[in-house]
Amino acid sequence: MLPVVETQVLIAIGLAAIATYSLRLGGLLLASRFPKAGRFRRGMDALPGALLFSLVVPGLVAEGLWGLCAGLLTALVVWRSKNTLAAMLAGMLVIYLARLA
Amino acid sequence: MRSELLNGAKANIPMAASATAYGSVLGVLASQKGLTWLDMMLMNTAVFAGAAQFVMVDMWAGDLPVIEIALAVLVINLRYLLIGASLEPLFKGHGLIHKMGLIHLVADENWAVTIAEQRKRKVRSWFLLGGGILLYVTWSFGTVVGLVGGGLITHPEKYALDFAFTAVFTALAVGLWQGKRDILPWLVAGSLSLLAHQFLPGKWYIVIGGLGGMMTAMLGNTEDGDKEALEGGTDVAGC
C-alpha cells in the first residue's frame, strides 16, 4: 500500500520542480540567442571549470590543511589515472584518516 | 541512439557510485525529518538536483514553508541556467520537444562528463540522457536505501561520506581544466567563491564564482581572443 502524500508536500515539491525545470530549459533555449564567438564564447568555455572550482573551494577550505591535501591528491590521481572514482576515494581517504587522528 | 545511451551511462559509473553514497546520506537525513519513501521518490523524480534536495530536506518541517523552499531551490539551482546554456551546441538541430524531454535529467555530474567528452569527440544528446538515467536510478536507490535503513549510518561524517561531493567535483573540475588560459579565471572564481561563501547565505558562492570566472575570461586581451576564437571555430566544426 502506498503511503499518503500530503497536499502541502505536493505543492512544495511541485514548486521546486517548476523552478528547477524552468532554469534548465530556460538556459538551453536562451543560449541560442547568445553570440557564438569572441569574448562571449571564451566566457562560456571558461564557465564550466570556473563554476565547478567555485563549488568545491569552500568545501576544501572548510576541512583546513587536510582538505587542501585531499583536494591536491584527488587532482593528482585523476590527472595521472583519468579515474574519477579512484580520485574521489583517495580524497575521502585523506579526510577519513584526518578525522581519525 | 542506443549505443550512445550506453556510452553515456558507462562514462557516468564513477559519478553514479558517488551519487549513491551521497544519496544514502540524504536518505538518512530525510528519515529523521519524517519523509516517506514516496515523498522522497516524488522529489527525486520531479526535482532531480542533489544540492537543492539537501536544502529541501533541511527545511522540511511539520508545517512546510512552501514559498521559502521554492525560493531556496531557485537560488541554489540558478547555475542550471548556465548549465543549460552550455549544452546548446549538443542540442543543435534538435526540436523543442526533444529539448524539453531530455533537459530534465541534467545534473552536475552527467553535464560535466558530457562537456568533457565533447572536447574529445562528437557527442550526441543521448549520451547526456544515458548518464542522466543512470544517475536517476542510482541516486534514487541511494536515497531510498538511506531512508529505509535510517539509523544504520548514524555518523556519515565519520566515514567522510559528506566529503564525497567535494572530492568528486574536484576530480571533475581537473578534467575541465583548459590549460594556462584558465589560471586567472579560476583564481578569480575561487576567491569570489570564498568571499561569497563567507559573507552570503546559501549557495550564492557557486553562481558568483562561476560568473566571476566567466567574466575574467571574457575580459582577457583580444590578441589571445582572436587565436582562441579560431580554436573555438574548429570546435564548432567538430561538433
Side-chain angles (χ1 to χ4, degrees):
Chain A
M1 196 133 141
L2 287 177
V4 178
V5 180
E6 289 174 43
T7 313
Q8 61 170 357
V9 168
L10 280 180
I11 296 171
I13 292 176
L15 287 178
I18 290 166
T20 308
Y21 184 74
S22 307
L23 290 168
R24 283 178 172 132
L25 187 65
L28 179 60
L29 297 183
L30 287 174
S32 36
R33 300 176 179 218
F34 296 155
K36 295 292 183 302
R39 289 181 186 285
F40 191 81
R41 171 68 197 236
R42 251 186 300 152
M44 289 308 278
D45 282 345
L47 177 60
L51 196 82
L52 280 194
F53 190 60
S54 307
L55 195 149
V56 298
V57 166
L60 295 174
V61 171
E63 298 292 332
L65 203 55
W66 287 112
L68 299 182
C69 289
L72 282 176
L73 185 66
T74 306
L76 191 69
V77 171
V78 77
W79 179 54
R80 300 296 297 198
S81 72
K82 304 280 172 217
N83 187 330
T84 311
L85 184 62
M88 178 191 90
L89 291 175
M92 287 171 71
L93 185 67
V94 171
I95 297 301
Y96 172 72
L97 294 174
R99 286 177 188 173
L100 274 186
Chain B
M1 171 189 151
R2 221 181 96 200
S3 72
E4 196 65 337
L5 273 173
L6 280 176
N7 287 339
K10 274 185 207 153
N12 276 279
I13 287 173
M15 310 305 124
S18 88
T20 311
Y22 195 52
S24 68
V25 175
L26 178 65
V28 171
L29 296 176
S31 74
Q32 288 157 11
K33 292 278 189 170
L35 276 84
T36 67
W37 66 266
L38 188 57
D39 294 339
M40 194 76 248
M41 278 309 295
L42 281 175
M43 197 194 282
N44 291 338
T45 308
V47 182
F48 189 61
Q53 287 186 234
F54 265 88
V55 173
M56 287 181 78
V57 168
D58 186 56
M59 295 172 80
W60 213 261
D63 198 18
L64 277 179
V66 176
I67 300 298
E68 288 93 321
I69 288 179
L71 281 177
V73 167
L74 189 71
V75 170
I76 296 155
N77 284 343
L78 263 184
R79 69 186 188 287
Y80 277 112
L81 205 55
L82 309 174
I83 283 175
S86 73
L87 286 170
E88 199 262 343
L90 186 74
F91 283 95
K92 191 160 276 176
H94 286 287
L96 182 62
I97 300 293
H98 181 91
K99 289 176 180 169
M100 287 175 73
L102 266 63
I103 202 66
H104 179 57
L105 285 185
V106 173
D108 298 294
E109 290 91 344
N110 58 332
W111 163 73
V113 167
T114 303
I115 295 283
E117 185 77 4
Q118 213 173 8
R119 290 193 178 153
K120 287 185 252 165
R121 66 175 182 94
K122 178 180 157 55
V123 181
R124 299 179 63 193
S125 49
W126 302 111
F127 183 92
L128 181 71
L129 181 66
I133 292 171
L134 178 74
L135 288 168
Y136 170 66
V137 171
T138 52
W139 168 252
S140 298
F141 175 75
T143 59
V144 173
V145 167
L147 188 79
V148 174
L152 287 182
I153 315 168
T154 42
H155 300 289
E157 68 283 355
K158 194 176 147 195
Y159 307 102
L161 275 176
D162 55 327
F163 194 73
F165 182 72
T166 306
V168 77
F169 284 120
T170 302
L172 285 173
V174 171
L176 291 176
W177 175 255
Q178 303 183 93
K180 67 173 191 282
R181 67 163 152 154
D182 269 343
I183 294 174
L184 198 58
W186 283 38
L187 275 177
V188 171
S191 313
L192 284 175
S193 158
L194 280 176
L195 279 173
H197 184 258
Q198 187 72 38
F199 296 109
L200 296 174
K203 299 271 177 180
W204 277 107
Y205 63 93
I206 302 172
V207 174
I208 289 173
L211 286 176
M214 180 177 97
M215 270 143 71
T216 308
M218 289 171 81
L219 292 174
N221 70 56
T222 36
E223 204 179 306
D224 277 358
D226 290 344
K227 214 176 74 194
E228 279 157 20
L230 280 174
E231 285 164 14
T234 52
D235 277 356
V236 171
C239 286

